[in-house]
Amino acid sequence: METAEFETQLLASIRQIGIPPRPVILEKIALEMRRDEPDLITLARIISADVSISGSLLKVVNSPYFGYRTKARTVQDALTMLGLANTASTIATIVLRNVLPPMPAMERFWDASARVAEISGWLAQEIGRKDGVRSEDAYTFSLFRDCGIPIMMRKFPQYIETLAIANADTERAFTEVEESRHPTNHAVVGSLLGQSWWLPENTCQAIRHHHDFVSIRAGAGALSPTVRRLIALSQLAERIDQEMTGQNQSCEWHKMGEACLELLDLSAADLPALQAGASELMRGHAP
Amino acid sequence: MDGLTGFLDRNECLHALTTSIADAQASAPALAVLWVGIDRFRQINASFGHRAGDNVLAQLAYRLRSRAKVGDRLARIGGDEFVVLLPDSHPSLSTAAAERILSVLSEPLEIGDVRIRPSASVGIALAQAGEAPESLLERADRAMVIAKELGGSQYVNSGDERQAGRSGNLLAREELAIEEQLHEALEMGGLSLNYQPILNTRDGGIEALEALMRCNVRGQAISPAHFIPVAEKTGLIVRLGEWTLLTAARLVDRLALEGRQVKVAVNVSRAQLTAPKFKQTLYAVLACSDVSPASLELELTESLFMDMSTVVRNNLDAALEAGFPLAIDDFGTGYSCLAYLKDLPARKLKLDRAFIVGLPEDKKSFAIVRTVTQLARDLGMTVVAEGVETQAQYDSLCAAGVDAIQGFLLCRPLTEPALDTWLQGRQG
């Protein structure tokens, strides 16, 4: 192979790693969903063609944090239980980790995201469904919430340091700290990515505002109740996870906890019971 | 009586309301109207057929009835809309009732062997002293519409709409339908970009590609002439605009990987420039792609400059600082103020088609085109003529010194695959 050609290809592959394009499977599903009468059987066939994705899909749908009583045995079961749009979002959560730029030391980040997502899904049923937030919405949102972080890391070499500073800041919003050091923040990046993956609009809005402690307060009218509830559930889930694992201490609960509890109609006294429930959930399907 | 559900029909509902209002005024306590709309019912009908749709309605009506309290009146108002009249109600009772309704209607439902999860939106209106029944119903309906706009599965109290959602602009029914389609497009992949080449008059080379948004929902294309105004009215244009920026950036990226350096021009609306985090969004686009900002040109309409707020100005400065070139679109249609040509560091000026259409016969148009082109050039700007359809127009524009041409004469807007073919054709 010519050196120049090789270099072009190498450059191409490096660049492609960096850009999270819309995964082909999501494109195929979107194509089918756009039809006048989407055909579930065709869709099931498209999804089943990828054994790893369809396996993960069934695992997620049948997990306790999705809260379905009936079990899905086939991809088609999963499709009818979740509906088309939700299936697409769930598949997006499955492929997300593989398409984002790989980073050293990101394992912990992804593991924490997965736990927070599961606890969020569980909390959504446990606290009671309201404002149109279903378990699967809470789960998807929590998994996507921080997807801007690996992208920021790739673009800005100093970003690791920024994360540490933002996690330790008790006053300013997380994104404000980011913006004091970079021209953008992971919430805006994440919501843009979510939009380009056709995630539900509420999910994208929630990604964008998940550190926005002013907007989630009661009476702040900028965000819809659905979006605020998604954010509150996820922050609470993160708090519970951090209490459980003792890892990744951030100051988000300090800044947002009160507003989140109020939004969810909870008080601090409810936390121990929720924590116990979450521990049981996580023990139930520990890897 | 409504045949399918056994509920009151619209007229009976109005009648019942009139009586209830009279009763309520006699004995003081308030009367509440809950307008219940089934979310995305159109899709149920479309996916499973009307018979299944009717079956769903009947089941949902049964659920409503089974949870109703003594004295509540139920009516079916439109295809998929119900009204619940609650006598002796007050705000907390009516919201509790709305919560109950949302919860009971969202239980899973079987259609054949398919299981769906329906949901509903509820608008609540409490009768005000002396209010006509029609007005009460209308307020409940409007609140329900807002609840739907907020994504459904929720209730909105009449009077809280402003707080709950956007700034008020009430839309006509057909606009609402388009708005719903836009939401659907955003979530189901119904948006796409077409690209119209802009070619240099000098050597026929590609000056840029203008990205044009297209919307396609359930196999049906919606004309930009219809959906852009609705998107602007509702503020959805901000999300559509963000989506466009990233999608255009990805095209530039992909073409660069294939060895083609092309600039794409993207329309940026006033709403985007006044929305929070415009600058951060631009940089987020750069973070999610590998494009150089120089290859994403932001096209701004002239009307923007007539009322340039500090926010807009700062955002434009931020865009320039980031390295995005600016172009002035539709030049000459508004109050073409020459002062901003001096102040605004735009590098390109796009002449509106209004000046092109009469060429070459219309001597006045020609004079304007030639003079503006000369002026813009002296200011260091490139001039593009839009909407060029005939060779005679093209020749006339060349004579006037225009730098680049866009229009059906050269090329229609192309889908992405068609663009690839077109680019390959030029190479060969």
Side-chain angles (χ1 to χ4, degrees):
Chain A
M1 189 187 288
E2 295 282 324
T3 322
E5 192 189 338
F6 177 72
E7 270 180 9
T8 317
Q9 285 200 0
L10 186 68
L11 189 66
S13 64
I14 290 172
R15 298 184 81 185
Q16 271 165 345
I17 289 170
I19 313 150
R22 186 157 46 241
V24 179
I25 184 147
L26 291 186
E27 201 51 69
K28 286 184 182 163
I29 296 172
L31 193 70
E32 193 55 38
M33 290 201 314
R34 282 202 292 275
R35 291 192 203 286
D36 207 15
E37 296 215 0
D39 179 0
L40 289 190
I41 297 172
T42 310
L43 266 170
R45 202 177 299 137
I46 293 170
I47 298 165
S48 306
D50 188 316
V51 181
S52 131
I53 287 179
S54 47
S56 308
L57 177 67
L58 289 177
K59 200 172 138 206
V60 174
V61 174
N62 289 329
S63 63
Y65 43 87
F66 259 45
Y68 285 93
R69 284 195 198 92
T70 44
K71 291 281 167 209
R73 272 178 220 90
T74 62
V75 169
Q76 209 178 330
D77 289 346
L79 268 167
T80 46
M81 277 161 68
L82 291 180
L84 303 187
N86 248 315
T87 307
S89 307
T90 309
I91 288 176
T93 64
I94 294 167
V95 294
L96 177 68
R97 190 170 177 165
N98 296 333
V99 300
L100 285 186
M103 290 283 155
M106 285 303 279
E107 286 305 305
R108 252 182 60 185
F109 165 83
W110 286 115
D111 291 347
S113 280
R115 287 196 309 273
V116 170
E118 291 172 15
I119 299 172
S120 297
W122 173 78
L123 277 174
Q125 336 155 20
E126 189 65 19
I127 298 175
R129 201 181 140 184
K130 210 181 151 192
D131 297 326
V133 175
R134 295 163 298 195
S135 291
E136 49 266 44
D137 303 322
Y139 174 85
T140 308
F141 161 60
S142 289
L143 252 180
F144 264 91
R145 204 184 64 177
D146 290 321
C147 69
I149 286 179
I151 300 173
M152 292 291 284
M153 278 194 174
R154 164 178 170 269
K155 200 74 175 184
F156 305 106
Q158 310 298 317
Y159 190 69
I160 291 229
E161 220 175 283
T162 308
L163 282 179
I165 300 172
N167 272 327
D169 198 306
T170 54
E171 296 294 323
R172 290 179 297 171
F174 195 97
T175 45
E176 201 185 325
V177 176
E178 290 178 270
E179 285 178 22
S180 70
R181 297 169 48 90
H182 311 287
T184 187
N185 70 59
H186 81 284
V188 172
V189 169
S191 73
L192 221 58
L193 181 80
Q195 268 176 13
S196 76
W197 281 30
W198 312 120
L199 289 190
E201 287 183 87
N202 283 327
T203 309
C204 298
Q205 287 295 303
I207 295 173
R208 192 173 194 121
H209 294 283
H210 74 273
H211 290 292
D212 189 348
F213 53 77
V214 177
S215 298
I216 78 152
R217 284 200 191 119
L223 300 178
S224 81
T226 313
V227 170
R228 288 161 66 202
R229 191 169 180 88
L230 280 171
I231 296 172
L233 282 168
S234 179
Q235 292 295 349
L236 175 59
E238 184 174 68
R239 168 68 176 178
I240 289 175
D241 179 60
Q242 291 186 350
E243 289 284 311
M244 248 160 33
T245 58
Q247 295 182 353
N248 284 330
Q249 296 296 347
S250 62
C251 297
E252 292 315 287
W253 191 251
H254 170 76
K255 289 178 266 189
M256 305 179 76
E258 207 174 312
C260 291
L261 287 179
E262 192 186 333
L263 235 155
L264 298 171
D265 267 329
L266 295 172
S267 74
D270 297 316
L271 292 185
L274 288 172
Q275 200 142 333
S279 303
E280 201 170 318
L281 170 86
M282 299 313 280
R283 261 202 309 277
H285 64 287
Chain B
M1 196 173 73
D2 175 56
L4 179 69
T5 59
F7 288 3
L8 307 178
D9 63 23
R10 181 181 277 271
N11 282 333
E12 292 163 337
C13 174
L14 267 173
H15 181 75
L17 201 52
T18 314
T19 336
S20 308
I21 286 178
D23 288 352
Q25 273 158 355
S27 58
L31 164 76
V33 171
L34 271 53
W35 192 296
V36 182
I38 308 303
D39 295 334
R40 299 178 204 281
F41 184 72
R42 213 164 34 84
Q43 286 174 32
I44 299 181
N45 260 341
S47 312
F48 301 101
H50 286 277
R51 182 178 293 189
D54 279 354
N55 185 1
V56 168
L57 282 178
Q59 288 195 49
L60 296 179
Y62 175 78
R63 291 180 185 180
L64 276 178
R65 185 202 313 279
S66 64
R67 295 299 169 92
K69 297 201 164 138
V70 181
D72 293 356
R73 308 292 302 272
L74 296 159
R76 179 168 173 228
I77 294 288
D80 56 351
E81 294 180 4
F82 302 100
V83 161
V84 183
L85 306 183
L86 305 174
D88 303 331
S89 196
H90 55 73
S92 68
L93 275 180
S94 55
T95 53
E99 298 241 359
R100 263 201 321 277
I101 288 172
L102 287 178
S103 133
V104 65
L105 292 187
S106 66
E107 296 286 320
L109 191 88
E110 316 279 331
I111 306 178
D113 55 353
V114 174
R115 193 150 174 262
I116 61 161
R117 286 196 169 196
S119 72
S121 301
V122 179
I124 307 173
L126 289 164
Q128 289 162 359
E131 188 174 16
E134 290 84 359
S135 147
L136 183 56
L137 274 179
E138 196 193 312
R139 285 196 298 118
D141 181 15
R142 208 179 293 158
M144 186 281 290
V145 167
I146 305 284
K148 272 205 175 169
E149 285 173 5
L150 290 171
S153 290
Q154 56 194 291
Y155 64 83
V156 165
N157 276 297
S158 170
D160 285 356
E161 294 99 333
R162 292 179 76 84
Q163 191 195 341
R166 58 145 189 269
S167 51
N169 269 335
L170 285 179
L171 301 180
R173 280 268 165 185
E174 59 268 34
E175 290 179 314
L176 269 180
I178 291 176
E179 192 194 3
E180 201 190 313
Q181 287 170 321
L182 283 175
H183 283 293
E184 212 176 312
L186 269 169
E187 299 195 343
M188 298 221 180
L191 299 176
S192 60
L193 292 183
N194 278 2
Y195 300 91
Q196 188 171 33
I198 302 170
L199 303 182
N200 291 324
T201 48
R202 189 171 13 94
D203 57 2
I206 303 173
E207 161 65 27
L209 304 169
E210 182 177 357
L212 299 159
M213 207 187 310
R214 296 290 182 261
C215 180
N216 204 300
V217 174
R218 307 214 163 259
Q220 221 189 350
I222 311 166
S223 154
H226 291 135
F227 76 77
I228 299 279
V230 174
E232 278 174 349
K233 248 180 169 175
T234 55
L236 266 175
I237 194 79
V238 175
R239 279 177 237 175
L240 298 182
E242 290 175 353
W243 178 89
T244 302
L245 273 170
L246 183 54
T247 308
R250 291 217 168 114
L251 177 86
V252 173
D253 253 352
R254 180 174 71 76
L255 293 180
L257 285 174
E258 292 163 9
R260 292 193 176 92
Q261 305 302 327
V262 180
K263 185 159 65 179
V264 174
V266 174
N267 293 285
V268 174
S269 69
R270 178 180 192 87
Q272 275 172 279
L273 280 163
T274 50
K277 308 281 177 197
F278 177 73
K279 174 189 138 194
Q280 287 84 346
T281 305
L282 288 180
Y283 279 97
V285 168
L286 298 179
C288 288
S289 65
D290 285 308
V291 294
S292 141
S295 48
L296 272 183
E297 188 170 70
L298 310 183
E299 285 194 6
L300 316 159
T301 60
E302 192 189 48
S303 60
L304 190 72
F305 307 109
M306 279 183 275
D307 154 33
M308 179 101 81
S309 64
T310 324
V311 183
V312 171
R313 181 76 221 198
N314 290 344
N315 279 333
L316 288 178
D317 287 343
L320 284 167
E321 200 192 315
F324 293 92
L326 303 183
I328 299 172
D329 202 4
D330 305 331
F331 183 82
T333 47
Y335 297 90
S336 306
C337 173
L338 296 178
Y340 67 66
L341 284 186
K342 178 168 73 76
D343 293 336
L344 197 94
R347 303 242 288 274
K348 186 182 282 181
L349 196 135
K350 296 184 82 176
L351 285 171
D352 192 76
R353 63 187 65 221
F355 301 109
I356 317 298
V357 75
L359 295 180
E361 294 80 9
D362 183 353
K363 297 287 177 261
K364 287 182 180 168
S365 288
F366 183 77
I368 292 173
V369 170
R370 194 179 52 191
T371 311
V372 171
T373 302
Q374 189 55 50
L375 173 68
R377 284 194 145 178
D378 290 348
L379 291 169
M381 301 169 87
T382 308
V383 178
V384 177
E386 295 177 279
V388 180
E389 291 178 1
T390 68
Q391 187 62 43
Q393 287 171 348
Y394 186 94
D395 295 340
S396 171
L397 288 162
C398 287
V402 165
D403 301 284
I405 303 281
Q406 176 179 7
F408 281 10
L409 173 70
L410 300 179
C411 193
R412 291 173 171 270
L414 303 165
T415 62
E416 204 173 318
L419 173 68
D420 287 336
T421 314
W422 183 81
L423 286 170
Q424 272 157 20
R426 282 174 60 89
Q427 235 169 14

